[in-house]
Amino acid sequence: SSGEAFLSEWQADWRGCIVLDIRMGGMSGLACFDALRQKDCQLPIIFLTGHGDVPMAVSAIKNGAFDFVEKPFNDNDLVDIVVNALDADARSQQIKATRENVIAQLAQLTAREREVMDQILAGKFNKVIADELSISMRTVEVHRARVFEKMGVRSAVELAQQLSSTGLMPGQAED
């Protein structure tokens, strides 16, 4: 019924998208949008307006709105935008779940396995890693095998792809 009512009910674990009118009774759509962002709402937000202007639309998009639709609008176009927003939310959740899984896998690594992993990702050969870490090449091989096992990969390329696809590169694993 209003932005205030929505905010009082909003929960961080909701999935989907939010459609806000710029002009609502009480709190404006833009104020509701700002309040949602302060609550770290990551849902795609679509604005509807019959009174919008180009600077308002540009500002909303720059601040993270998914789309800005002027009234009158074609119902099919709005449905397409909502479907795209729902798809974006689903992709975002999948990336988040994958990232959390990779972080959990990284947490299983010992400090030495982490050091070896970082060296592997830097493209260094086992002999070079052994020399730099003052350990035997056989020990590097054991650590390498454990890293691959714990991370669920079969190669250094897969490991690099896994970390890259989730935004976790060496040195970022604790984030």
Side-chain angles (χ1 to χ4, degrees):
S1 61
S2 70
E4 293 89 352
F6 180 76
L7 288 170
S8 71
E9 297 293 324
W10 181 78
Q11 296 176 26
D13 63 346
W14 282 359
R15 302 289 24 107
C17 73
I18 300 169
V19 179
L20 294 173
D21 199 326
I22 291 292
R23 291 193 181 174
M24 302 187 295
M27 174 183 275
S28 74
L30 289 171
C32 186
F33 174 71
D34 290 341
L36 286 164
R37 288 297 182 233
Q38 287 176 352
K39 292 180 177 230
D40 198 31
C41 174
Q42 299 299 312
L43 293 177
I45 297 176
I46 302 166
F47 281 104
L48 301 178
T49 184
H51 309 284
D53 56 22
V54 172
M56 182 187 298
V58 169
S59 175
I61 298 295
K62 279 186 176 180
N63 288 320
F66 185 81
D67 210 332
F68 196 95
V69 181
E70 288 190 86
K71 297 177 191 176
F73 52 83
N74 178 304
D75 291 348
N76 291 333
D77 290 344
L78 180 59
V79 168
D80 289 344
I81 292 167
V82 168
V83 167
N84 288 337
L86 293 173
D87 289 346
D89 181 56
R91 282 190 306 275
S92 173
Q93 288 306 305
Q94 180 60 43
I95 290 168
K96 181 180 175 188
T98 300
R99 189 175 202 278
E100 289 171 357
N101 184 49
V102 170
I103 289 170
Q105 289 171 315
L106 287 168
Q108 295 177 26
L109 300 178
T110 65
R112 180 60 87 181
E113 289 167 347
R114 276 303 248 299
E115 288 176 315
V116 170
M117 179 187 75
D118 289 345
Q119 299 290 330
I120 291 167
L121 292 171
K124 296 181 180 175
F125 294 109
N126 288 352
K127 182 172 180 14
V128 174
I129 296 170
D131 288 344
E132 288 185 9
L133 298 179
S134 300
I135 57 178
S136 74
M137 203 160 83
R138 177 67 186 135
T139 301
V140 172
E141 291 168 358
V142 169
H143 286 310
R144 180 186 196 105
R146 287 186 183 149
V147 167
F148 288 0
E149 179 184 341
K150 289 177 181 180
M151 296 303 295
V153 297
R154 293 180 303 223
S155 70
V157 171
E158 273 186 58
L159 179 62
Q161 288 172 337
Q162 180 186 60
L163 294 174
S164 177
S165 71
T166 57
L168 295 169
M169 294 311 291
Q172 292 180 312
E174 285 82 29
D175 294 348

